[in-house]
């Protein structure tokens, strides 16, 4: 029986995908510029650490030829600087998925690049709420612009071509779930810290 790895990844990460959506504040009608900047600031250290691990995996560039064009860390940094924020990359590395093999990396990339595809909805909401305040400050959400869907299809093709064995497919699914879980925990922890600092500041 032929296994559709993309359908398998989608099915087995659906619950975690919904969990991420619940902690992303960008669709809120009352979104402020400060909240937008704070959210990007929380993402930056996670992407910085994950992309460093991905870049170190031998063989990944053979599986994903345009890998180096998919990095988001510097784009996040540019957005943050435009928002008057300094990118900070200190984080608990226990909240970064363990990535040692190409199948693990592909599972992780499924999550990261899927987020880039989904951000096409978020950017419209952010622009609709914040308008000119975020002009030239949404590079991360913009992804690959009009080529975003095409780049997603390219990555999907890489997953299908590489993940042909049952063990590799299972490894990719486990890594995708771990990426979702770690990102969720990192966002929630950052949200709690931000709320605590806000409460402390008004005392």
């Amino acid at each position: 029986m032929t296994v559709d790895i993309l359908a398998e990844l989608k099915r087995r990460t659906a619950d975690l995908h919904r969990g991420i959506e619940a902690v992303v504040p960008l669709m809120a009608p009352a979104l402020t510029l400060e909240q937008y900047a704070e959210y990007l600031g929380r993402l930056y250290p996670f992407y910085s650490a994950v992309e460093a691990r991905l870049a170190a995996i031998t063989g990944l560039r053979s599986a994903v030829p345009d890998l180096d064009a998919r990095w988001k860390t510097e784009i996040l940094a540019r957005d943050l600087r435009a928002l008057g924020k300094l990118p900070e990359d200190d984080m608990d590395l226990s909240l970064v998925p363990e990535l040692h093999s190409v199948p693990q990396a592909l599972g992780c990339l499924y999550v990261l690049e899927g987020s880039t595809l989904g951000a096409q909805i978020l950017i419209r909401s952010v622009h609709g709420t914040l308008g000119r305040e975020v002009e030239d400050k949404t590079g991360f959400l913009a992804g690959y612009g009009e080529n975003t869907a095409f780049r997603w299809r390219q990555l999907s093709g890489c997953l299908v071509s590489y993940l042909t064995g049952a063990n590799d497919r299972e490894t990719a699914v486990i890594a995708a779930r771990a990426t979702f879980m770690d990102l969720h925990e990192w966002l929630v922890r950052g949200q709690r810290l931000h709320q605590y600092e806000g409460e402390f500041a008004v005392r």
Side-chain angles (χ1 to χ4, degrees):
M1 180 179 68
T2 301
V3 176
D4 184 340
I5 183 58
L6 297 175
E8 184 75 356
L9 281 162
K10 183 177 181 179
R11 180 179 68 81
R12 293 178 59 186
T13 61
D15 58 329
L16 301 174
H17 192 174
R18 289 191 294 271
I20 290 287
E21 289 176 344
V23 296
V24 174
L26 302 188
M27 298 288 284
L31 178 72
T32 66
L33 189 64
E34 179 184 359
Q35 289 170 329
Y36 171 66
E38 191 268 332
Y39 174 72
L40 294 187
R42 276 186 275 144
L43 284 182
Y44 177 84
F46 186 85
Y47 272 79
S48 177
V50 171
E51 290 184 350
R53 290 190 174 181
L54 288 169
I57 294 176
T58 301
L60 184 56
R61 287 177 176 83
S62 295
V64 184
D66 64 349
L67 180 67
D68 290 325
R70 293 180 181 270
W71 302 138
K72 307 297 190 304
T73 302
E74 183 53 38
I75 299 172
L76 274 165
R78 287 200 298 268
D79 283 345
L80 286 166
R81 293 187 191 103
L83 288 160
K85 303 286 185 179
L86 289 177
E88 299 178 8
D89 56 9
D90 290 337
M91 74 175 294
D92 180 356
L93 292 180
S94 70
L95 294 178
V96 181
E98 291 290 335
L99 302 170
H100 304 291
S101 69
V102 173
Q104 286 179 321
L106 292 175
C108 178
L109 282 169
Y110 169 82
V111 177
L112 299 185
E113 292 295 281
S115 297
T116 298
L117 184 66
Q120 303 313 293
I121 297 173
L122 297 177
I123 192 172
R124 290 195 292 271
S125 180
V126 169
H127 277 299
T129 304
L130 298 177
R132 297 187 64 179
E133 286 187 293
V134 291
E135 189 173 337
D136 299 323
K137 303 176 181 71
T138 56
F140 172 74
L141 295 181
Y144 311 111
E146 62 183 16
N147 291 320
T148 298
F150 172 72
R151 297 293 291 279
W152 169 251
R153 290 193 297 271
Q154 283 184 312
L155 181 74
S156 298
C158 295
L159 268 65
V160 171
S161 295
Y162 192 94
L163 300 171
T164 57
N167 288 340
D168 284 352
R169 290 194 296 267
E170 184 64 18
T171 297
V173 169
I174 291 170
R177 287 187 59 83
T179 302
F180 267 124
M181 288 187 285
D182 289 344
L183 177 56
H184 182 274
E185 178 60 27
W186 178 249
L187 289 174
V188 169
R189 184 177 295 191
Q191 196 172 55
R192 288 173 183 155
L193 178 62
H194 183 73
Q195 290 171 346
Y196 172 79
E197 290 173 343
E199 291 171 359
F200 183 80
V202 298
R203 287 177 184 173

